[in-house]
Amino acid sequence: MKDIPQPLSAINSNFITELTTFIRMRGLSYSTEKTYVHWIKRYINFCGYQSRHDISSADINRFLEHLVIKKNVSPNTQKTALNAIVFLCREHLKQNTESLKYKRAKKGPKVPEVFTHREAIAVINELSEPAKLVTQLMYGSGLRINEALRLRAADIDLDVQSVTVRNGKGNRDRKTLLPTALIKPIKQQLALVEVLHDRDLDKGFGEVYMPYALAKKFPTQARGYGWQYLFPASRLTVDPRSRKMMRHHITDRMVQLHVTKAIRKAKIIKKAGCHTFRHSFATRLLENGTDLRNIQELLGHSDIKTTQIYTHVAGVHQSGVKSPLDN
């Protein structure tokens, strides 16, 4: 249950408890919370601060240079660390950071790796359930792996063929398309979920994790079928907050391992993984003439510039330019 926020009582530092409370009050996602706390702890340890009054934004440059020169981190990692520390100093500790100049590592343009349609299907065909259906949703609906794993039964609308992604990246909800080819396997998966849920109820269980204290507001819904995960775990586990036995969803690590093996079996030598299916979804839509704004909405990008990177991938094949060797 690593994607369920840990109770504040489990944190053994008063300052980190205070910081975590502040992050949650700001409404940031749990993944952002974990990332920020990780980098803030590293910053505090690196600078050797003994109390909150010692923390200073003046040491940011020194820490960033350490990450690049000593730890050889990527520009993206350095940027993530910077965002976390600026959040700590400017937002939480109310320090003035406007006059500071940060030395960012230079990042060259990076074109995402994508599968051809034949390669994507070849990998999918090497998979068994439930990893196969998860991967089909990544390729057919453009979902991130954890967006697919966190789907609940009620998030699937078979009548209008749509998938509702709740609390996606940036804590935003969105709708995306459900491919016709997945209607039958989705129905089979929902039937499996229902049978498993009925079995749990018979044994006195059947409750699932509900975010934002919804379980208290709607106490009966936590045992309802609609809230059950589309990809339930094979066994019950203890919820870290309520200490109740619940059935969570399967882990992203399990799916990633299966996809890695399937890529190897399909004899694909690209640097690829689960996220490559999402990149391939966007690229296929562009190649088929889908408007960039529509793709942005389906992917849940807040900035159109993020979506525009796929034009560099699709453009190579659509430009009509021929190599002189082919003339």
Side-chain angles (χ1 to χ4, degrees):
M1 291 191 173
K2 66 178 183 177
D3 57 349
I4 294 179
Q6 296 294 304
L8 294 174
S9 58
I11 303 173
N12 57 8
S13 163
N14 290 336
F15 178 72
I16 297 301
T17 300
E18 177 191 321
L19 172 67
T20 303
T21 302
F22 181 76
I23 291 173
R24 292 181 184 180
M25 290 295 290
R26 293 292 295 268
L28 302 183
S29 69
Y30 185 48
S31 60
T32 300
E33 174 190 316
K34 290 188 293 183
T35 300
Y36 276 17
V37 169
H38 166 79
W39 284 111
I40 288 168
K41 283 181 177 178
R42 286 188 62 171
Y43 182 63
I44 290 172
N45 290 334
F46 173 80
C47 297
Y49 298 136
Q50 297 301 310
S51 76
R52 61 178 293 129
H53 304 292
D54 297 333
I55 299 174
S56 172
S57 58
D59 294 318
I60 292 179
N61 263 345
R62 186 163 62 92
F63 180 62
L64 295 180
E65 288 176 1
H66 163 76
L67 291 179
V68 173
I69 296 171
K70 298 291 186 181
K71 298 299 182 180
N72 196 31
V73 303
S74 69
N76 268 346
T77 301
Q78 189 201 42
K79 180 181 177 182
T80 300
L82 172 61
N83 289 341
I85 300 164
V86 169
F87 178 86
L88 166 70
C89 297
R90 184 180 63 201
E91 305 297 329
H92 184 50
L93 300 178
K94 306 302 180 186
Q95 296 180 4
N96 187 350
T97 60
E98 292 181 3
S99 61
L100 294 174
K101 293 182 180 179
Y102 313 114
K103 294 180 181 178
R104 299 175 186 257
K106 292 184 178 179
K107 179 186 176 183
K110 185 178 179 181
V111 177
E113 189 74 81
V114 299
F115 293 124
T116 65
H117 178 66
R118 183 177 296 179
E119 288 173 336
I121 298 303
V123 175
I124 289 170
N125 287 340
E126 292 289 347
L127 293 166
S128 56
E129 301 296 358
K132 181 175 184 177
L133 184 53
V134 174
T135 307
Q136 286 174 314
L137 283 167
M138 290 189 288
Y139 183 50
S141 303
L143 303 185
R144 299 176 178 91
I145 181 170
N146 281 313
E147 290 174 343
L149 296 182
R150 291 171 189 162
L151 288 175
R152 315 275 184 146
D155 294 331
I156 306 297
D157 191 327
L158 295 172
D159 292 332
V160 297
Q161 291 187 219
S162 72
V163 178
T164 301
V165 178
R166 304 191 187 279
N167 301 317
K169 194 171 183 180
N171 261 352
R172 291 183 296 270
D173 292 356
R174 74 178 191 278
K175 283 188 180 290
T176 186
L177 52 89
L178 176 65
T180 302
L182 292 188
I183 290 179
K184 183 178 179 180
I186 286 287
K187 284 182 177 179
Q188 293 172 340
Q189 184 65 21
L190 287 171
L192 183 151
V193 171
E194 190 170 12
V195 169
L196 193 59
H197 180 50
D198 287 341
R199 190 182 305 162
D200 286 344
L201 289 173
D202 290 340
K203 294 179 180 179
F205 302 113
E207 223 175 299
V208 290
Y209 167 74
M210 293 177 69
Y212 308 121
L214 288 175
K216 291 183 179 179
K217 188 175 182 181
F218 307 106
T220 61
Q221 293 300 309
R223 296 169 69 89
Y225 166 68
W227 275 95
Q228 301 303 306
Y229 287 107
L230 182 62
F231 298 105
S234 59
R235 60 187 178 88
L236 299 168
T237 49
V238 178
D239 179 88
R241 290 190 153 192
S242 65
R243 310 309 300 172
K244 294 179 180 179
M245 292 293 289
M246 295 184 177
R247 191 177 296 279
H248 204 51
H249 57 68
I250 61 176
T251 67
D252 53 357
R253 182 61 179 159
M254 184 272 280
V255 177
Q256 289 164 347
L257 286 172
H258 282 291
V259 168
T260 299
K261 290 179 182 177
I263 291 172
R264 194 181 305 123
K265 286 182 180 178
K267 295 183 170 33
I268 295 170
I269 59 173
K270 293 177 177 177
K271 186 179 179 181
C274 287
H275 209 65
T276 310
F277 287 99
R278 178 173 156 89
H279 291 322
S280 304
F281 166 81
T283 304
R284 292 296 95 74
L285 293 186
L286 265 179
E287 290 171 345
N288 292 332
T290 307
D291 180 75
L292 203 61
R293 289 286 181 186
N294 289 336
I295 298 174
Q296 179 190 3
E297 289 186 13
L298 293 172
L299 292 174
H301 288 160
S302 58
D303 192 339
I304 190 68
K305 291 180 181 178
T306 308
T307 317
Q308 285 173 338
I309 189 67
Y310 297 108
T311 61
H312 297 291
V313 183
V316 172
H317 305 289
Q318 293 180 320
S319 61
V321 177
K322 283 188 175 182
S323 165
L325 198 61
D326 292 329
N327 288 335

